[in-house]
Amino acid sequence: MKSLRPERTVFREGKRIYLRPPFTDDVHNLVKWFNDYRITRFLSCRLPVSEAEERVWVDGLHNNLDQLISFIIVLKGGKPVSDRPIGTIQLHQIDRESGTALKGVAIGESEYWNHGYGTEANMLLLEFAFNTLNLRKVYSHVLSTNEGNLACNTKCGFVHEATLSRHHFREGEYVDELIFAVYADTWRGLWQKTRSSFISVVSRKNKGGSS
């Protein structure tokens, strides 16, 4: 489903995608994505999700920003009305005292898998986590069978920290859960080398306002 909004609401912008808060008109896509077995087979949500449940979740997000910050991943079109929501990404279990958060991401539209959109979304999220929220560590729980997410984490600087052996039952067998993490100081070095691949870099003197 394409965007019906005449203007973009952009929280973080990349070259091909941008992140924005979820709106009530995202409920249709969320229900579609999180009832799609190709996606949920890698996630903790394995029961059917109703439109009513997703609407309550979206409407309640503003009440829980200290613990959960969620975004819709939107693919840019030629015009804002041609933009297309393709997935979701969030920071949850945010611990301000310890400076940590758990990252979750799902590209819901299968035609956009394996095109690097997840990597771009992750890098935009990490820029927010480290350079705005001042977190020091973001971690990720990934099933060992989720090859796409494993590759994405590696590209974004995550390193394997632990394995929970035979931790989840999926498709008739037990699979490992892998715990990955990336630290702010390490990620910032990666960002300096790669950010031009993900965002349009504008020099400070060319930005609006006084130089």
Side-chain angles (χ1 to χ4, degrees):
M1 178 182 291
K2 292 182 179 180
S3 173
L4 300 178
R5 296 173 180 270
E7 296 181 356
R8 288 178 175 142
T9 300
V10 179
F11 186 81
R12 285 293 187 278
E13 185 171 10
K15 284 189 171 180
R16 301 179 299 165
I17 63 161
Y18 61 91
L19 307 182
R20 63 157 172 78
F23 302 132
T24 54
D25 52 10
D26 291 311
V27 167
H28 171 81
N29 281 326
L30 293 170
V31 171
K32 180 179 70 170
W33 297 338
F34 293 111
N35 281 295
D36 187 337
Y37 180 68
R38 296 171 300 171
I39 297 169
T40 60
R41 62 195 283 250
F42 297 122
L43 305 178
S44 59
C45 53
R46 289 176 288 169
L47 298 178
V49 177
S50 71
E51 182 173 331
E53 289 173 306
E54 286 300 314
R55 192 173 300 279
V56 168
W57 181 80
V58 170
D59 289 344
L61 282 173
H62 67 282
N63 295 321
N64 198 30
L65 290 176
D66 59 332
Q67 289 288 312
L68 170 65
I69 303 175
S70 186
F71 300 101
I72 297 296
I73 303 167
V74 185
L75 180 64
K76 296 178 184 177
K79 298 180 180 179
V81 292
S82 300
D83 292 352
R84 183 172 183 182
I86 62 171
T88 181
I89 191 168
Q90 58 267 141
L91 295 170
H92 47 111
Q93 298 183 29
I94 300 170
D95 186 334
R96 303 282 185 172
E97 182 178 354
S98 299
T100 62
L102 175 64
K103 183 249 324 169
V105 60
I107 300 297
E109 301 294 336
S110 60
E111 64 192 278
Y112 298 112
W113 293 348
N114 303 314
H115 291 287
Y117 297 118
T119 301
E120 188 171 333
N122 270 277
M123 293 299 277
L124 294 176
L125 183 78
L126 292 171
E127 191 280 328
F128 169 62
F130 294 138
N131 291 344
T132 299
L133 298 183
N134 197 29
L135 299 180
R136 66 176 186 86
K137 175 182 180 180
V138 173
Y139 58 101
S140 171
H141 293 187
V142 186
L143 296 187
S144 58
T145 52
N146 191 346
E147 296 180 359
N149 205 336
L150 292 171
C152 180
N153 275 348
T154 299
K155 292 176 184 176
C156 295
F158 286 80
V159 295
H160 179 220
E161 290 199 330
T163 297
L164 302 177
S165 298
R166 304 181 73 240
H167 197 66
H168 294 278
F169 190 68
R170 292 290 189 278
E171 300 179 315
E173 63 181 4
Y174 290 96
V175 299
D176 296 347
E177 178 181 302
L178 309 179
I179 301 174
F180 284 77
V182 61
Y183 292 81
D185 52 354
T186 302
W187 178 84
R188 288 191 180 106
L190 176 64
W191 182 242
Q192 287 299 318
K193 296 177 182 177
T194 63
R195 65 176 181 165
S196 62
S197 299
F198 303 110
I199 63 172
S200 298
V201 180
V202 180
S203 65
R204 292 182 181 273
K205 63 175 61 179
N206 290 332
K207 284 188 175 183
S210 59
S211 58

